[in-house]
Amino acid sequence: MAYNKSDLVAKIAQKTSLTKAQSEAAVNAFQEVLVESLKSGEGLRLTGVLSASRVKRAARTGRNPRTGETINIPAGYGVKLQAGSLLKKAVA
């Protein structure tokens, strides 16, 4: 099942003693911590759950999916996510 932010907030509120407002504040705080850690280049590791790191991407060529035209994609940054052991066990 895919969750949008509202669904995630509601699910967290349901599974904890937090209100929806408190759950939303927690989700927002986590989002801010994740973005700040990626911007700083540190990344974020939740041991056993998830690892997120910032990776530099080289300039490359790609294709416009609508037209098939070749386009140049400039160098930039991306995010690499890796599942930890708890997530790997959950889907095994």
Side-chain angles (χ1 to χ4, degrees), residues 66-79:
R66 289 188 181 178
T67 65
E69 175 187 5
T70 300
I71 58 173
N72 292 319
I73 303 169
Y77 292 94
V79 176

Side-chain angles (χ1 to χ4, degrees), residues 2-4 7 17 22 27 37 51 56 65 68-69 76-77 82-83 88 90:
Y3 289 101
N4 62 28
D7 294 337
S17 60
Q22 292 169 325
V27 169
S37 67
S51 175
K56 182 149 179 68
E69 175 187 5
Y77 292 94
Q82 290 182 303
K88 288 178 183 177

Side-chain angles (χ1 to χ4, degrees), residues 6-70:
S6 297
D7 294 337
L8 180 61
V9 167
K11 196 71 164 174
I12 290 171
Q14 178 186 11
K15 291 193 169 278
T16 65
S17 60
L18 300 175
T19 66
K20 282 189 179 181
Q22 292 169 325
S23 297
E24 184 171 12
V27 169
N28 289 340
F30 176 75
Q31 185 177 355
E32 289 174 18
V33 168
L34 177 60
V35 169
E36 288 170 3
S37 67
L38 290 171
K39 280 185 176 179
S40 72
E42 293 176 17
L44 181 73
R45 179 171 302 195
L46 300 174
T47 304
V49 180
L50 177 72
S51 175
S53 57
R54 181 177 164 179
V55 293
K56 182 149 179 68
R57 291 188 173 178
R60 60 201 186 279
T61 59
R63 293 209 175 269
N64 181 324
R66 289 188 181 178
T67 65
E69 175 187 5
T70 300

